[in-house]
Every structure is written in C-alpha cells, then in structure tokens.
Amino acid sequence: MSDENATIDDPELGALTRATSELTDGSVLTHDWFVGTVSVEGTELELMLEGTTSDEVAPLLPRMRDAVKRLHTLRRIATDAVVSKFSTSDPEPHELDEAASDLTIEALEAAADGTVILHLIDSCGEHFPEGYWPAVHLAVDDSVAQVTVES
C-alpha cells in the first residue's frame, strides 16, 4: 500500500512529501521516495528518503538527521573520496582542499539499507562536465562504499 499524499512532519528535517514529477502531457508521476529541504549553514539542501509509505521512511529519519548534523564532516569525507577515486596517484593535500572548496553538497539521499548518498555539484565547473555530478555513497558506518558520477 502506498500513501501517495502522505506528509511526514519531522521536527528537525521539516516536511517530507512523496516526490512527484509532472510530465509534458500533464500527467503526474509519483516516485518511490519522499523529498524535502533543509537549510544548513544558509544553504538549502534537498533531502530524499527511499520509500513509498511513511512507515517505510520512518526508520531512515534518524540516519538522515544524523547526516545533516554531521554534514561538515561527511562533506570532507565525500570530497576526499571523489579526489581519491579520480586521481592517478595519491592526491596532494592542496588537491583535497581545493575539492573541499569547489564541490558542494546539493542533495542528501537515504536508502532503505542505511546508505547515505551525498550528491555534490562542481561549483566552479572545472572538475566535471556540465550535467554530471559526483555522488558518494556512505555505508552505515560512514565508510565510503562507492563513488559514482551521475547525470
């Protein structure tokens, strides 16, 4: 059973609603996740939590709250992972610092298995082609499980 019109009001994360997209023909596609936004240090971040019902999403809320609280630390883990993944040798400290400055988090996603995915954008446009962005998948223990490039 899905509760397409459900809203979850979380005291820390705010309102989360079922994600939808309006197609060109006017029909609405309902996605298998809930979305919301949260302001962190003056930046609005998109939140995505996998699930079709509030009951499926509820277990992901503590992990997402924790990720938002520790965003500064997780961001550095993520930017270092991106540099390490795409470097041909051990990255220099200045390369890690540049990535930490240039790559910013646009969205946080919580998957049903407890993985948190940080979707980053290249704020200076020098590291990734237009329309592509790195995503860092953090396991439940915050170790880097995977680094991908999405479009």
Side-chain angles (χ1 to χ4, degrees):
M1 171 163 178
S2 74
D3 46 358
E4 290 183 16
N5 300 316
T7 297
I8 299 167
D9 288 315
D10 186 83
E12 294 177 46
L13 302 174
L16 303 164
T17 58
R18 260 318 268 287
T20 59
S21 298
E22 186 172 339
L23 304 178
T24 55
D25 66 2
S27 60
V28 175
L29 177 64
T30 302
H31 301 286
D32 291 342
W33 59 88
F34 280 66
V35 295
T37 58
V38 67
S39 182
V40 178
E41 296 175 4
T43 302
E44 291 293 313
L45 299 178
E46 182 179 357
L47 303 177
M48 303 164 56
L49 295 96
E50 183 180 2
T52 58
T53 67
S54 51
D55 287 344
E56 289 177 6
V57 171
L60 305 178
L61 293 172
R63 176 81 165 121
M64 184 62 85
R65 285 185 211 112
D66 181 61
V68 169
K69 283 179 190 165
R70 297 181 315 105
L71 196 58
H72 186 74
T73 300
L74 297 180
R75 180 174 178 261
R76 187 59 190 238
I77 291 169
T79 60
D80 285 0
V82 170
V83 174
S84 296
K85 169 78 174 179
F86 297 108
S87 293
T88 55
S89 60
D90 286 340
E92 297 290 327
H94 73 89
E95 293 172 311
L96 298 173
D97 291 342
E98 281 179 21
S101 173
D102 296 344
L103 300 175
T104 59
I105 297 173
E106 182 175 56
L108 289 173
E109 179 180 350
D113 66 359
T115 300
V116 168
I117 302 138
L118 287 79
H119 297 271
L120 301 151
I121 55 171
D122 179 3
S123 64
C124 67
E126 294 181 13
H127 306 285
F128 289 88
E130 178 83 24
Y132 293 86
W133 63 89
V136 178
H137 303 242
L138 300 177
V140 175
D141 65 357
D142 292 336
S143 64
V144 177
Q146 184 178 19
V147 177
T148 59
V149 176
E150 301 181 359
S151 62

